[in-house]
Amino acid sequence: MLPENEMINEHDGEYPSLPEPRTVRLRFEKTGSLQFISHLDLQRSAARILTRAGIPLWYTKGFNPHPKLVFAMPLPIGCESVCELADVRIDRDMDCGRILDGLHRGSSGGLRFTECYIPERPFRDIAWARYGIRIAPGELMSPAGFAEKAAAVMSEKPLTVIKHGKSGDRLTDISGMMKDIKISCEGEETLIDLFMSATEGSTLSPAHLLGALTSRLGVPGPDTGYSAMRVCMTDAEGIIFR
Amino acid sequence: MMKMTDPALLRSVSKPGRYAGGEFGQTVKDPASVDASFAFCFPDSYEIGMSNLGVRILYGVLNREENIRCERVFAPWTDMEDRMREKGILLCAHESGEPVKDFDFLGFTLQYEMCYTNVLNVLELSGIPLRASERDDSWPIVIGGGPCSYNPEPVADFFDLFNIGEGEEMLPEIVRLYIRMKKEGATKAEFLHEAAKTIEGVYVPSLYDVSYNPDGTVAAYEPVFDDIPRRVRKRIVADLDTMYFPESVVVPYIECVQDRIMLEVFRGCIRGCRFCQAGMIYRPVREKSPETLMKQAKTLYQNTGYEEISLSSLSISDYTRLRELTDGLIGWTEDKRVSLSLPSLRIDSFSKELMDRVASVRSSSITFAPEAGTQRLRDVINKNVTEEDLMRSAGIAFGSGKEQIKLYFMNGLPTETEADLDGIADLANRVVDEFYRTPGHGKRAPLVTVSVSCFVPKPFTPFQWEAQDTVGRLIEKNRYLAGKITNRKVRYTHHDACVSHVEAVLALGDRRLSRALELARRRGFRFDAWDEFFSYDRWMEVFADSGIDTAFYANRARGEDEVLPWEIIDCGVTREFLLREKHRAYSGKTTPSCREQCSGCGAVCLGGKDICCPKMK
């Protein structure tokens, strides 16, 4: 319990005001059960996480002030990630190490903040995202058999899938939206390692690829175990984006 | 076996975040490190359950005991339930994913009668036999609490034990007793007997025999042991300032109905509206000090990051130190961009100053509850507000730029006539006129929404003896009112009379209703509080097939000397007071608030610190 009259944010007095708001970039992991929290819900929760962390948020001016928080790229529901990025503006001079300490205290479980730094590049430079997808075909076929069939499907040109968008469903050719595909087997699982397009307006999600495989091979089916992990993001030249 | 948290399963259902867990603030304990485990169930969806303040408090109360592990349980949504049944998956607790059936306790908070089918469904999905008599010592002890437990009888056969009243002290006492007796090798029956004997507020239905008169009314309750109370007195927490209140709560990731800090300002209500169960069963009024509330608000803000604080109570403007509290809160909330909301404002204490201070009233609409259309009927129900109060409040709202006002009413109230229904339409029209009379009103046309619910007589109210209007009559009244509302600036909505009828049966019922609930469950009933799942025709079939005459429970005026099924419970407020209030209602006499004059309700016998009851001072 706080002593009476104590300032609500214990750090307020510690950090001098900044003449201009500063943008810091947060890198975080969203794994385990948190993969089932939607991007919209994460956005909604983010301000609470930052408040719990005691971060001196800068608020927009105007009738409805709100913190400025921008995510690099939405993570689809059911997909894990170890490379999420978000930019947040602060109005006091709190150093990145202390921001990270605060975030460790204010987050839980599968949400883990791993880095905080001053960004050097804008999110629009992101061109590709690398994913690791593990599928256990189960009794329907062997991992090697599935690997072979999946490779054939993924080399189809065109490879059309239905993409759901705000303006309705549309058929999209995703064959040019994947690169550096490596397919292997490990125990009962088939592993697909690939880069998917992450440019604005032309973003591919693992769900699209999995949908294409399901519609053609029946795997993954409703009860098939699989996982998808976003591993890193790169620019158009293949340099890791941070 | 597949678990509810299996990714393949979660990918196949809507809103998987409901089942994912991992929220900030949850308590995860090692099962090996505790002596007892408690599965705390809110028998509705996650989004509803996580909005309940009682769940937040009691989850914290139990988990702060080092040797008790409390986990949350919610009713799985229908798509998840279908998958669970298809795959044979048992219902699991939220934190550990452990099957509910493996816990020592399964506690339900009973917030509304229409959740009863969900209670049974949760038992069934957990693989637990429905009836207490079918459960041997290997099953969890099933506990009920919450407002509906003030008439536990319709669900009594499904529960081992009810805790009547406030659980902050009682619930840990029950679990501590269990731990001690389990170590001593006691049986479940021995534990239940001991709990009923030694812990005030504990009601063990199986320890009371009920007999009925030939006309179907209750003849008597007879305890099966001499050493347990003849009536179970509700338990209260005496001092709210020193009472446990969570300093941190679970912060859900997915959007919930009440997604904010709920700061409980006081318990009870000084008003005594004669239809209102909460106003009677939560007596005596006990307040928290602004100092305590300020500390709790700050700590909760720091620990949750919520951007809104709602001051929770039955009637916030009756808090004696509201100005002090809002001043203190606004002192730091504005700086932190935390908004305040006061959800229960009365029209006789609504002021421009208050409106300017809180965010909830900065939206374009505001809600008032005159409850009845004429002063005569408002006096009958002891609402103690006047048309002048309403017009003054509406004027303040319109003058501050609001264009929409929502008005809550009830139809089917005792002594209601056509004139009272006409009064609802007239009052709405006059509120529209008030808009145009108010200087500086908004530029757009006003909209007055008239929302009418059907009166449901509730136990432990002065109207507990009343007959509810039949469904036909309620529908007729709804139609009549729809015809009376012709003003295009007035919108009319009403509750479903059929739901209100079933609610009345379940609220006023006795133990014989258990067979109907059991049959309803067998026929797949669930989520009956949700319009999309409620079927009146199917409910009527269930009642008919289980030999239940719904009119006996809902549409029959009870004799003043009749033993009422819920009178096995003593809620502090006496039968004499309730009867006196009923008679005053019929004479159109109002009763002043507790603060003005003591009306001798009897709740003073429960004790309590800083209560407003003049007899205590």
Side-chain angles (χ1 to χ4, degrees):
Chain A
M1 191 73 76
L2 282 173
E4 217 175 329
N5 302 325
E6 185 165 331
M7 291 184 76
I8 182 62
N9 190 331
E10 55 184 318
H11 301 302
D12 273 6
E14 279 183 47
Y15 309 115
S17 293
L18 290 164
E20 290 294 324
R22 175 190 295 161
T23 299
V24 294
R25 182 159 293 169
L26 308 172
R27 182 183 163 112
F28 62 96
E29 298 177 353
K30 187 167 171 264
T31 57
S33 61
L34 266 284
Q35 67 182 289
F36 295 106
I37 302 304
S38 70
H39 181 67
L40 275 177
D41 283 329
L42 183 69
Q43 274 183 316
R44 224 174 30 79
S45 306
R48 292 176 191 162
I49 296 167
L50 296 167
T51 302
R52 289 198 294 265
I55 291 170
L57 297 172
W58 175 83
Y59 282 80
T60 58
K61 311 294 177 208
F63 188 71
N64 180 25
H66 55 275
K68 191 80 176 171
L69 187 69
V70 181
F71 287 83
M73 192 181 158
L75 186 67
I77 203 163
C79 181
E80 298 174 275
S81 173
V82 289
C83 62
E84 291 307 285
L85 298 172
D87 284 353
V88 61
R89 273 194 218 175
I90 57 173
D91 67 356
R92 284 175 182 269
D93 189 13
M94 185 180 192
D95 73 58
C96 287
R98 300 196 75 159
I99 290 178
L100 204 53
D101 286 346
L103 287 166
H104 288 154
R105 286 196 305 271
S107 55
S108 65
L111 192 69
R112 202 171 77 86
F113 289 85
T114 54
E115 277 186 79
C116 174
Y117 53 90
I118 307 295
E120 289 171 1
R121 306 180 67 182
F123 288 146
R124 63 173 177 273
D125 287 356
I126 296 170
W128 295 94
R130 183 179 174 186
Y131 292 90
I133 300 169
R134 290 171 169 267
I135 301 165
E139 291 163 4
L140 289 169
M141 61 184 95
S142 70
F146 177 65
E148 195 181 316
K149 288 184 171 150
V153 169
M154 291 168 74
S155 60
E156 279 179 28
K157 281 188 175 57
L159 177 56
T160 48
V161 298
I162 298 170
K163 282 183 90 171
H164 309 287
K166 281 180 190 162
S167 49
D169 293 351
R170 61 194 162 87
L171 276 178
T172 307
D173 175 16
I174 64 167
S175 57
M177 297 165 78
M178 299 181 284
K179 68 170 191 176
D180 298 346
I181 302 166
K182 295 185 189 76
I183 304 179
S184 58
C185 297
E186 195 178 288
E188 298 299 307
E189 292 180 326
T190 306
L191 275 57
I192 304 174
D193 182 334
L194 81 169
F195 284 80
M196 291 185 173
S197 172
T199 50
E200 204 176 332
S202 176
T203 302
L204 188 62
S205 150
H208 297 128
L209 171 62
L210 292 163
L213 295 174
T214 302
S215 65
R216 286 156 178 85
L217 308 175
V219 176
D223 298 323
T224 307
Y226 71 84
S227 66
M229 172 76 80
R230 188 186 278 169
V231 182
C232 67
M233 290 181 266
T234 73
D235 64 13
E237 274 69 52
I239 296 167
I240 298 280
F241 182 90
R242 66 185 301 275
Chain B
M1 185 191 280
M2 201 183 231
K3 279 192 163 187
M4 279 178 77
T5 46
D6 188 290
L9 180 65
L10 292 180
R11 285 195 180 93
S12 69
V13 298
S14 60
K15 291 198 188 177
R18 284 168 169 157
Y19 317 100
E23 309 99 316
F24 183 81
Q26 69 170 8
T27 306
V28 182
K29 290 188 180 177
D30 174 10
S33 71
V34 298
D35 296 318
S37 54
F38 196 108
F40 196 110
C41 179
F42 191 104
D44 210 310
S45 72
Y46 175 89
E47 299 93 306
I48 307 283
M50 283 304 294
S51 305
N52 184 264
L53 179 61
V55 171
R56 293 180 181 193
I57 295 174
L58 296 175
Y59 178 76
V61 157
L62 289 170
N63 273 323
R64 77 173 170 156
E65 305 265 325
E66 209 173 305
N67 59 344
I68 300 174
R69 173 169 61 106
C70 178
E71 299 198 14
R72 293 162 295 152
V73 179
F74 303 97
W77 194 248
T78 54
D79 57 348
M80 176 58 113
E81 181 190 335
D82 294 345
R83 296 281 285 153
M84 288 167 67
R85 288 185 184 278
E86 183 193 319
K87 301 270 165 202
I89 299 168
L90 288 171
L91 186 65
C92 296
H94 213 68
E95 279 75 3
S96 64
E98 184 183 318
V100 169
K101 72 173 179 54
D102 294 339
F103 279 70
D104 294 307
F105 288 91
L106 169 56
F108 287 95
T109 175
L110 305 172
Q111 296 289 323
Y112 32 86
E113 292 81 3
M114 300 311 289
C115 76
Y116 287 169
T117 48
N118 270 15
V119 170
L120 300 195
N121 201 24
V122 163
L123 286 170
E124 195 177 291
L125 289 169
S126 304
I128 299 171
L130 301 189
R131 286 184 176 265
S133 58
E134 295 165 351
R135 297 191 293 261
D136 62 21
D137 290 19
S138 66
W139 297 103
I141 290 164
V142 179
I143 296 191
C148 290
S149 65
Y150 283 87
N151 179 16
E153 294 307 273
V155 285
D157 289 346
F158 309 114
F159 283 83
D160 295 303
L161 180 157
F162 288 95
N163 52 168
I164 310 296
E166 297 165 6
E168 284 91 344
E169 293 168 354
M170 180 174 24
L171 206 51
E173 283 172 23
I174 291 168
V175 184
R176 280 186 222 124
L177 176 69
Y178 170 83
I179 291 169
R180 180 170 67 76
M181 293 189 70
K182 190 168 82 168
K183 283 180 182 161
E184 290 165 0
T187 63
K188 178 159 91 174
E190 287 164 340
F191 159 71
L192 291 173
H193 181 189
E194 189 65 16
K197 188 169 85 177
T198 59
I199 301 177
E200 192 180 38
V202 165
Y203 171 50
V204 177
S206 60
L207 300 185
Y208 294 84
D209 289 332
V210 192
S211 54
Y212 298 93
N213 296 312
D215 64 1
T217 56
V218 171
Y221 277 85
E222 202 54 52
V224 299
F225 295 111
D226 293 336
D227 56 2
I228 61 171
R230 293 196 69 80
R231 287 184 77 198
V232 177
R233 174 172 284 186
K234 107 172 164 191
R235 186 78 173 269
I236 67 158
V237 177
D239 183 355
L240 296 200
D241 275 329
T242 55
M243 173 192 82
Y244 170 82
F245 194 74
E247 292 185 356
S248 182
V249 293
V250 182
V251 186
Y253 282 107
I254 71 166
E255 195 164 9
C256 291
V257 179
Q258 302 282 343
D259 215 3
R260 54 187 69 90
I261 291 171
M262 281 177 277
L263 200 60
E264 188 184 24
V265 178
F266 67 101
R267 288 190 182 168
C269 180
I270 60 168
R271 297 292 172 169
C273 300
R274 290 170 180 141
F275 58 86
C276 178
Q277 189 187 39
M280 298 292 160
I281 60 174
Y282 296 135
R283 289 182 180 212
V285 174
R286 286 146 294 151
E287 294 191 343
K288 274 188 195 173
S289 68
E291 295 78 22
T292 302
L293 290 164
M294 288 280 293
K295 284 181 193 169
Q296 290 176 346
K298 286 180 180 179
T299 312
L300 276 165
Y301 167 72
Q302 282 193 322
N303 291 340
T304 63
Y306 272 123
E307 54 292 285
E308 186 181 346
I309 298 175
S310 172
L311 301 185
S312 160
S313 67
L314 289 171
S315 167
I316 191 66
S317 40
D318 288 330
Y319 180 52
T320 49
R321 296 167 75 184
L322 185 61
R323 176 68 198 256
E324 205 180 323
L325 176 63
T326 50
D327 276 353
L329 288 174
I330 287 170
W332 62 269
T333 53
E334 284 195 341
D335 182 40
K336 292 288 157 199
R337 280 92 171 176
V338 174
S339 59
L340 283 185
S341 61
L342 310 182
S344 49
L345 290 165
R346 279 178 64 89
I347 46 182
D348 53 351
S349 50
F350 181 73
S351 69
K352 175 151 185 8
E353 191 210 351
L354 197 57
M355 179 167 158
D356 290 342
R357 295 166 80 85
V358 293
S360 65
V361 284
R362 278 189 208 139
S363 65
S364 63
S365 80
I366 190 162
T367 303
F368 295 121
E371 311 287 5
T374 60
Q375 195 57 47
R376 184 201 70 79
L377 193 52
R378 284 194 293 276
D379 289 347
V380 166
I381 63 175
N382 204 40
K383 186 66 192 177
N384 281 332
V385 295
T386 62
E387 186 173 326
E388 289 69 41
D389 292 328
L390 177 61
M391 294 309 152
R392 187 186 55 80
S393 299
I396 292 170
F398 290 141
S400 304
K402 297 208 183 301
E403 287 140 352
Q404 296 180 20
I405 285 187
K406 189 169 184 179
L407 301 174
Y408 279 143
F409 294 96
M410 269 186 283
N411 77 10
L413 285 162
T415 78
E416 184 182 70
T417 64
E418 265 185 17
D420 299 304
L421 297 176
D422 296 343
I424 293 176
D426 294 344
L427 208 52
N429 290 337
R430 284 201 286 279
V431 171
V432 173
D433 296 342
E434 186 65 30
F435 176 85
Y436 291 106
R437 262 202 306 275
T438 305
H441 64 72
K443 287 180 186 143
R444 283 184 297 187
L447 178 64
V448 176
T449 301
V450 169
S451 175
V452 180
S453 62
C454 304
F455 167 66
V456 178
K458 290 279 169 124
F460 296 114
T461 65
F463 291 160
Q464 64 180 354
W465 290 276
E466 297 298 325
Q468 187 187 42
D469 273 345
T470 60
V471 168
R473 184 84 186 103
L474 288 170
I475 291 172
E476 216 173 276
K477 287 180 174 181
N478 284 339
R479 282 200 193 121
Y480 176 83
L481 197 48
K484 282 282 166 187
I485 293 176
T486 51
N487 189 331
R488 288 176 59 195
K489 296 182 178 72
V490 178
R491 189 173 66 185
Y492 170 56
T493 63
H494 61 81
H495 283 205
D496 183 351
C498 298
V499 176
S500 300
H501 179 66
V502 175
E503 190 186 325
V505 175
L506 298 178
L508 301 164
D510 55 39
R511 287 191 190 182
R512 290 168 295 189
L513 281 182
S514 62
R515 58 179 188 251
L517 286 165
E518 208 171 20
L519 183 60
R521 182 51 241 140
R522 276 207 299 276
R523 292 184 182 174
F525 286 34
R526 57 189 177 181
F527 286 106
D528 283 291
W530 295 70
D531 288 347
E532 59 263 53
F533 299 108
F534 177 82
S535 163
Y536 181 65
D537 293 341
R538 292 184 67 214
W539 266 106
M540 289 304 109
E541 277 168 27
V542 160
F543 284 129
D545 294 349
S546 45
I548 299 292
D549 172 14
T550 61
F552 174 81
Y553 294 103
N555 309 124
R556 177 178 66 89
R558 285 158 179 77
E560 291 181 359
D561 51 358
E562 185 178 324
V563 177
L564 303 171
W566 48 92
E567 286 181 319
I568 183 63
I569 306 299
D570 170 8
C571 81
V573 170
T574 62
R575 163 183 258 263
E576 292 70 30
F577 166 74
L578 296 175
L579 213 42
R580 212 158 55 230
E581 279 296 289
K582 176 191 164 186
H583 295 154
R584 286 177 75 85
Y586 277 92
S587 340
K589 285 184 191 155
T590 60
T591 297
S593 78
C594 299
R595 208 157 278 145
E596 295 164 86
Q597 187 192 322
C598 178
S599 50
C601 71
V604 68
C605 69
L606 300 166
K609 186 174 167 284
D610 293 336
I611 65 173
C612 83
C613 194
K615 280 197 170 173
M616 286 293 283
K617 292 185 175 163

